[in-house]
Amino acid sequence: KNQVEQSPQSLIILEGKNCTLQCNYTVSPFSNLRWYKQDTGRGPVSLTIMTFSENTKSNGRYTATLDADTKQSSLHITASQLSDSASYICVVTGLTGRRALTFGSGTRLQVQP
Amino acid sequence: NAGVTQTPKFQVLKTGQSMTLQCAQDMNHNSMYWYRQDPGMGLRLIYYSASEGTTDKGEVPNGYNVSRLNKREFSLRLESAAPSQTSVYFCASRWTSGGQGYEQYFGPGTRLTVT
């Protein structure tokens, strides 16, 4: 069964610090991997998308990496801000059938002043 | 350009009551989706519609029905609500072509409580 596991489940950091969130997946064959940010009470919004041939993708202070051999991805947040407080969801798209999306359960990040 | 809109934002139902969640998108996307999000779990696909006039079951379709009214609108109906259907429901849409799916856009969600 296709799975996406994220760690840690939750994380508290101080404003200005960096952090890294992890995503391990078993989806195969694999089309692409996305990281979404979900603010409390809102729908997820895409941060980055990577295909299997891409190793890294940046979006401002967010940098995602992908190792398709080990089926691992990470999201690095630099110089965190209070507005980064949210859940971060890793989503993997399969390559077969209707290209179903498999969602991780998310990492809840809290940035404190 | 409103993106994906959902109504209502909040709803409380008693067990056995029925209701319809509405979703509309103005991005001319052909594919639309309904997900539910429960604490500690990833979003799970309830139903999807790859194009106007077609609908298919997702991972957790039991207790739900859908209607793709036209290209813009995709509704989710609970015929006889159960406490297990207490959840946050998200509608999403995206453009798909030749088996390739592009960016998926989500609505703001409907928080449903069934007592």
Side-chain angles (χ1 to χ4, degrees), chain A residues 1 9 31-32 34 36 38 40-46 48-49 89 93 95 97-106, chain B residues 33 35 37 40-45 48 56-59 90 94 98-109 111:
Chain A
K1 180 181 176 182
Q9 282 190 328
S31 175
N32 60 64
R34 292 182 168 95
Y36 281 86
Q38 185 177 19
T40 301
R42 309 289 291 271
V45 175
S46 179
T48 64
I49 176 173
I89 303 172
T93 302
L95 198 57
R98 57 178 169 79
R99 300 201 174 218
L101 279 65
T102 304
F103 290 78
S105 57
Chain B
Y33 307 80
Y35 295 92
Q37 186 177 38
M41 302 182 73
L43 276 79
R44 293 182 292 169
L45 182 64
Y48 71 101
D56 285 286
K57 294 178 181 179
E59 184 183 352
F90 288 98
R94 67 174 173 171
Q100 176 69 38
Y102 296 87
E103 178 64 53
Q104 190 162 109
Y105 293 85
F106 288 84
R111 186 173 293 274

Side-chain angles (χ1 to χ4, degrees), chain A residues 29-97:
Chain A
F30 155 86
S31 175
N32 60 64
L33 185 147
R34 292 182 168 95
W35 282 93
Y36 281 86
K37 179 186 180 189
Q38 185 177 19
D39 293 311
T40 301
R42 309 289 291 271
V45 175
S46 179
L47 291 174
T48 64
I49 176 173
M50 291 181 290
T51 64
F52 69 91
S53 62
E54 296 177 290
N55 299 119
T56 185
K57 184 71 71 78
S58 290
N59 178 0
R61 294 180 296 101
Y62 300 102
T63 299
T65 64
L66 174 64
D67 186 335
D69 291 331
T70 61
K71 294 186 169 59
Q72 295 180 325
S73 176
S74 66
L75 181 69
H76 186 75
I77 304 174
T78 304
S80 61
Q81 300 176 358
L82 297 179
S83 59
D84 292 330
S85 295
S87 288
Y88 292 85
I89 303 172
C90 176
V91 185
V92 179
T93 302
L95 198 57
T96 58

Side-chain angles (χ1 to χ4, degrees), chain B residues 3-67:
Chain B
V4 180
T5 57
Q6 292 182 235
T7 56
K9 284 190 167 51
F10 301 93
Q11 184 71 50
V12 178
L13 292 178
K14 292 187 185 329
T15 298
Q17 287 185 316
S18 62
M19 79 160 295
T20 300
L21 281 64
Q22 306 286 354
C23 173
Q25 52 91 10
D26 61 2
M27 296 173 281
N28 202 35
H29 289 163
N30 51 357
S31 297
M32 297 185 73
Y33 307 80
W34 276 106
Y35 295 92
R36 60 178 288 172
Q37 186 177 38
D38 301 296
M41 302 182 73
L43 276 79
R44 293 182 292 169
L45 182 64
I46 304 171
Y47 270 93
Y48 71 101
S49 171
S51 61
E52 186 178 351
T54 68
T55 60
D56 285 286
K57 294 178 181 179
E59 184 183 352
V60 288
N62 291 344
Y64 306 95
N65 284 301
V66 290
S67 295

